[in-house]
Amino acid sequence: MAFSKTDPTDDVADGRGSTDSVGDRYEVLETRMTQEELHDVVRAVLRGEVQPSAEIQVVRPDTCLTQLDGTRVEIRSRVMPQTTPGTLDHLCPAAERMQVLVSATDQLSEKATIMFDRLVETLALRGERYTVAEENSIVGSMPLVALYATDEPAFHNWALIFRDHYVENSVGFLLGMERAGMAREWIFALSKGDRTLHRDRVHSWFLDHGYLSDTLDNSVINGSDDAAATAYAQGVNERVDTFIRQAHTAGRKVLVIDDGGLLAQGYGARGVLDQHIDAAVELTVSGLKRIAGAPGELSIPVLNMARSRLKTMLGYNEIADSCMRRLRAILPGEKFIGQHVLLLGFGTLGARMAHYLRVHGCRVSVVDTDILALIAAAEHGYETYTSAADALRGHAPFLVVGTTGELALTPEDLPLLPDGAYLAGFATKDFSLLSEGFPGLRSTEVPFVGVRHTLPTGATVTLLGDGRSLNLFEYEGIANRGYDAYRAGTLIAAKTLCREIDRLEPGLHLEPVDRAIDDARLFSAYYQEYLARGGPCTGRGRPAEPLPTTAVA
């Protein structure tokens, strides 16, 4: 239910009309605040930010009035009907949502407009944040992070820059880092720019909790964005520079935990940027490639979580599961059973995707340029090809799945795509030929689904999502419990890195990661929490039972 510009404001919260009309300016917001919290935020903004002497008049619980430079402003609210939960786990009782109407009854002066905008901005920010119950739900869904979030004295002298997807498990992870001793005022979170489902809520919660939060978009670094986005990214880089400089001035070292290698390749390389970080943890293979290709020599130790046994043995299963669930959710009307699917890439993720697709009844053909990968695929019963062109000549798949992380379809392949095919990329570069565009390609956005491209041949294909990883498009990606072990392992690795910083040489390090995770007995904790005694329901919503040793610390 939404207010419209012609809705009367009097008694609108009760659904009754009147002859009074909305004034010169109004904004409609959705919030999870109570009415008391709403009134408190209004008071705080008016008193502390823009109008120290301002008061509000609470006419009734759902309506309050105030003056902005002489113009009356009304703030009205009403409870909204329940919809889907705002978190991955449902709450009982469910979090209440309200709709808020902020309206001016007359034209606003320049000063009043600034006040009005500030009020709306603050209400929007506070209204998006996770409630205490939702925050507790996120923490409870990551019991392994809770188990290993013990105090680490080394963290007391460090600052953290965390660049990753804005999803719930990022909230749970940073809370774990904070409980382990990382001061919240020295945490700077950066979104990668993916359209994750609750990205605005995560950003709002980070800011309200006391972290710095901004976006450093991959597309800018890849050179595929416009001038405005590039200028914004330069501003974010200046904020990062300032954060690093202030941390060092305060006597703190700076740790980067990055999904993509973007920060380590610049701030961790000799002679590239003015500011310099002290250590990094890299989470992805693409990030390792970016670090290896950095313009300067790596001058800091970087722990390699991307190729750790933890990610290989546990992480990719959960990633593939999230990819398949997103694929089914975004195509609810399509038949999968018995249909041809072309899978580009049979690596760590691709091999698991092939299995999931087959389990769902698809007839899967595999393309890879690596002969050992092709042998593995063939001996698992898949039809194999050395090129996409050969595969497309042999079949007319309704779905093409990309997992290569490289350009998966070339200009020569496009004319062979069947009319009406879907393309699902789970790495940004797979279908970049289409997402970046070329002469003769006509494109139409299909909201919340993707982009329908008309090829020069006249055939149409639909690129699902926004050209990035599909499992992060209007979706939360991996379930919190599914990523709990990897986030806990990252916390363990960060502790090890900060504790042993003086003993680690510059360069990439894998052995210390695997050793630290083994010493902490994370795999045993994972088994106890999720697999022993009948499965995860025995541990849901509480920390795992203590292990019989003290190796956690």
Side-chain angles (χ1 to χ4, degrees):
M1 186 182 297
F3 297 112
S4 69
K5 194 168 186 178
T6 58
D7 279 339
T9 55
D10 279 6
D11 296 322
V12 72
D14 294 329
R16 301 194 304 264
S18 81
T19 57
D20 293 341
S21 61
V22 173
D24 183 70
R25 171 81 185 276
Y26 74 90
E27 296 287 345
V28 180
L29 309 168
E30 291 186 10
T31 175
R32 288 167 176 79
M33 289 186 287
T34 65
Q35 288 170 337
E36 291 77 12
E37 289 171 335
L38 174 66
H39 296 162
D40 287 344
V41 171
V42 174
R43 289 189 184 96
V45 172
L46 297 180
R47 292 175 179 172
E49 297 291 340
V50 293
Q51 196 165 326
S53 62
E55 293 290 342
I56 68 171
Q57 176 187 359
V58 179
V59 179
R60 58 190 186 199
D62 58 21
T63 304
C64 66
L65 307 175
T66 190
Q67 296 279 331
L68 296 182
D69 197 29
T71 301
R72 191 176 78 159
V73 172
E74 302 175 352
I75 300 98
R76 298 172 179 255
S77 61
R78 62 182 175 190
V79 176
M80 296 181 65
Q82 288 295 338
T83 59
T84 56
T87 51
L88 291 177
D89 278 356
H90 65 273
L91 299 180
C92 189
E96 189 174 85
R97 298 189 310 134
M98 287 198 310
Q99 194 172 57
V100 178
L101 172 66
V102 185
S103 63
T105 58
D106 202 349
Q107 185 171 354
L108 294 166
S109 66
E110 182 177 351
K111 179 181 178 182
T113 298
I114 295 173
M115 298 177 184
F116 189 95
D117 291 343
R118 175 61 180 164
L119 176 61
V120 170
E121 177 187 347
T122 304
L123 288 174
L125 179 67
R126 293 291 299 275
E128 286 280 0
R129 67 177 182 171
Y130 292 107
T131 66
V132 172
E134 289 173 327
E135 179 185 324
N136 290 338
S137 172
I138 294 171
V139 172
S141 68
M142 302 179 72
L144 295 181
V145 170
L147 176 66
Y148 290 97
T150 53
D151 184 60
E152 172 52 61
F155 278 175
H156 300 171
N157 297 312
W158 283 77
L160 172 65
I161 302 175
F162 173 80
R163 182 172 177 272
D164 206 334
H165 310 294
Y166 271 25
V167 292
E168 283 184 19
N169 65 64
S170 293
V171 173
F173 173 74
L174 286 182
L175 279 171
M177 291 290 290
E178 192 179 329
R179 290 194 301 273
M182 193 70 69
R184 71 173 66 177
E185 63 270 23
W186 289 109
I187 295 177
F188 193 165
L190 291 167
S191 166
K192 294 182 61 179
D194 295 276
R195 283 178 55 180
T196 49
L197 183 61
H198 295 138
R199 59 195 181 277
D200 292 336
R201 300 203 69 194
V202 173
H203 173 66
S204 296
W205 187 88
F206 282 164
L207 291 176
D208 188 69
H209 190 66
Y211 303 160
L212 295 176
S213 178
D214 216 318
T215 298
L216 192 54
D217 200 312
N218 270 5
S219 60
V220 174
I221 309 306
N222 296 336
S224 58
D225 222 325
D226 57 27
T230 301
Y232 184 87
Q234 290 171 346
V236 176
N237 279 333
E238 291 175 3
R239 291 192 71 192
V240 173
D241 288 347
T242 300
F243 181 80
I244 295 171
R245 183 170 56 253
Q246 291 175 342
H248 286 158
T249 300
R252 291 176 178 269
K253 292 182 171 64
V254 179
L255 169 68
V256 161
I257 298 177
D258 198 0
D259 182 311
L262 188 62
L263 297 171
Q265 72 163 352
Y267 291 103
R270 188 171 285 110
V272 177
L273 298 173
D274 293 336
Q275 299 302 320
H276 206 69
I277 60 174
D278 300 279
V281 177
E282 177 50 46
L283 305 176
T284 64
V285 172
S286 62
L288 297 178
K289 294 178 181 177
R290 185 171 278 130
I291 292 170
E297 180 185 359
L298 194 63
S299 59
I300 60 169
V302 179
L303 292 195
N304 179 358
M305 283 293 298
R307 298 195 185 279
S308 64
R309 286 191 297 117
L310 173 63
K311 186 165 187 178
T312 301
M313 297 176 67
L314 300 183
Y316 279 105
N317 290 332
E318 300 292 347
I319 295 171
D321 175 65
S322 76
C323 293
M324 193 66 215
R325 286 189 289 113
R326 184 64 185 117
L327 190 56
R328 293 302 303 264
I330 205 169
L331 294 174
E334 287 295 331
K335 174 179 170 61
F336 277 69
I337 297 173
Q339 300 302 297
H340 279 289
V341 175
L342 178 58
L343 177 69
L344 306 177
F346 198 76
T348 310
L349 176 59
R352 288 164 171 80
M353 283 297 296
H355 168 74
Y356 276 109
L357 288 162
R358 175 184 277 174
V359 167
H360 281 78
C362 299
R363 292 184 282 174
V364 182
S365 300
V366 171
V367 173
D368 206 302
T369 56
D370 183 274
I371 191 62
L372 290 179
L374 283 182
I375 290 171
E379 292 189 345
H380 279 83
Y382 300 106
E383 193 168 351
T384 55
Y385 298 89
T386 57
S387 72
D390 287 344
L392 290 169
R393 292 187 186 101
H395 295 290
F398 95 102
L399 172 67
V400 181
V401 176
T403 65
T404 68
E406 305 293 340
L407 187 65
L409 287 179
T410 68
E412 292 73 27
D413 299 327
L414 294 185
L416 300 173
L417 288 171
D419 187 30
Y422 294 102
L423 308 179
F426 293 103
T428 300
K429 288 187 178 180
D430 287 325
F431 302 121
S432 56
L433 184 64
L434 289 171
S435 57
E436 294 176 9
F438 57 85
L441 182 70
R442 290 182 288 120
S443 306
T444 304
E445 183 181 0
V446 183
F448 297 97
V449 175
V451 179
R452 179 163 295 170
H453 298 285
T454 302
L455 305 176
T457 60
T460 62
V461 297
T462 301
L463 178 60
L464 300 174
D466 57 356
R468 303 175 187 239
S469 298
L470 179 59
N471 62 321
L472 293 165
F473 174 74
E474 297 297 335
Y475 203 62
E476 271 288 302
I478 303 170
N480 295 340
R481 292 177 184 83
Y483 221 45
D484 185 22
Y486 191 62
R487 288 303 197 197
T490 303
L491 196 158
I492 292 167
K495 285 185 172 185
T496 301
L497 181 55
C498 293
R499 190 188 309 126
E500 300 181 5
I501 184 66
D502 294 330
R503 298 200 295 270
L504 291 169
E505 297 292 328
L508 289 168
H509 299 271
L510 176 59
E511 187 276 334
V513 175
D514 288 336
R515 169 175 49 81
I517 289 171
D518 285 344
D519 288 347
R521 301 187 65 226
L522 175 57
F523 289 113
S524 295
Y526 173 79
Y527 179 78
Q528 285 189 21
E529 180 63 37
Y530 291 106
L531 306 176
R533 304 185 308 278
C537 288
T538 59
R540 183 156 297 184
R542 61 161 178 79
E545 294 178 7
L547 297 174
T549 73
T550 58
V552 169

